[in-house]
Amino acid sequence: MQPVRSRPGEIVCVGRNYREHAKELGNEVPAEPLLFLKPPSSIVWSGEAIRVPAASTRVEHEAEIGVIVGRTLTNVSEGDASRSIRSIVAVNDVTARDLQKTDGQWTRAKGFDTFCPLGEESSELPDLDSLTVVARVNGVERQRGKSSEMVFSIPSLLAYISQIMTLEPGDLVATGTPSGVGPLVPGDVVEIEIPGVSRVTNPVQESR
């Protein structure tokens, strides 16, 4: 496994793609994929700190299976989308939950610097239907989900997004989080792992 060291040009994220996560936040499962963007400036790598901003009193982890695009995708089928994946990576869609609720739209809550820890790229493309993603905080498991539990599959997400915006090589799609999201506070260490594929571990600090 080789570390990823170039930022994606686009980070496209999917909300409420696991039924139990939508339920735990009191939301309905969307009829179509619910999309939002994170800025490339939110990327940090394993070992780098997640900084809790002064503007938020409730920062939470969200373990996600990330997809790195390998070819330009515009208006593609699910089959073409599957063949255009470069790698799978562990992603932490860090979220200021209080700001997400008060703002209505999610740009600020999802977009702070350090709010997108990204793991190493997998050296081989695994079976997309048998992936597991796990979140641990201070060694204690908080989240566990499987790609087979997604409302919208990875190929269908890529195909859907490609109908809206072109995805370029190196772009990242974060495919949603399972239930069990929870708070992070300074002093914590949070790990997101796709077992056998990718992992990202980050300490949590107060914002400088």
Side-chain angles (χ1 to χ4, degrees), residues 85-101:
I85 296 171
R86 187 172 86 190
S87 60
I88 299 295
V89 294
V91 179
N92 191 350
D93 175 22
V94 182
T95 303
R97 192 71 67 200
D98 52 343
L99 303 183
Q100 184 183 28
K101 292 178 180 178

Side-chain angles (χ1 to χ4, degrees), residues 6-205:
S6 59
R7 288 177 175 176
E10 293 181 338
I11 303 172
V12 185
C13 305
V14 182
R16 304 172 191 168
N17 198 28
Y18 289 78
R19 287 180 174 83
E20 290 303 311
H21 172 61
K23 182 178 178 180
E24 75 178 343
L25 296 183
N27 298 312
E28 297 292 330
V29 174
E32 294 181 297
L34 176 61
L35 305 181
F36 61 94
L37 303 176
K38 290 174 83 87
S41 56
S42 65
I43 292 281
V44 289
W45 313 109
S46 196
E48 297 182 315
I50 297 167
R51 298 196 302 273
V52 175
S56 176
T57 61
R58 180 77 179 193
V59 170
E60 296 188 354
H61 60 81
E62 293 193 5
E64 306 210 6
I65 296 167
V67 178
I68 301 292
V69 174
R71 294 189 298 186
T72 300
L73 301 181
T74 305
N75 296 318
V76 299
S77 67
E78 291 186 22
D80 285 340
S82 295
R83 291 186 288 271
S84 300
I85 296 171
R86 187 172 86 190
S87 60
I88 299 295
V89 294
V91 179
N92 191 350
D93 175 22
V94 182
T95 303
R97 192 71 67 200
D98 52 343
L99 303 183
Q100 184 183 28
K101 292 178 180 178
T102 58
D103 286 2
Q105 55 80 32
W106 301 354
T107 302
R108 183 167 65 135
K110 301 280 191 175
F112 284 97
D113 288 353
T114 78
F115 268 30
C116 192
L118 183 62
E120 70 276 12
E121 291 194 37
S122 54
S123 57
E124 296 181 5
L125 188 63
D127 179 5
L128 299 178
D129 294 324
S130 60
L131 297 170
T132 298
V133 63
V134 182
R136 301 181 188 92
V137 178
N138 304 325
V140 178
E141 184 173 308
R142 287 192 178 176
Q143 290 182 273
R144 180 176 289 266
K146 298 180 179 180
S147 56
S148 59
E149 299 168 344
M150 292 178 179
V151 177
F152 304 103
S153 69
I154 291 172
S156 70
L157 290 173
L158 294 177
Y160 180 84
I161 294 166
S162 80
Q163 312 303 314
I164 303 164
M165 67 189 81
T166 296
L167 293 169
E168 301 287 357
D171 285 349
L172 169 65
V173 175
T175 59
T177 195
S179 61
V181 298
L184 296 172
V185 298
D188 284 344
V189 175
V190 56
E191 176 186 68
I192 310 300
E193 182 181 18
I194 303 171
V197 180
S198 181
R199 179 171 57 189
V200 60
T201 305
N202 304 89
V204 181
Q205 299 177 358

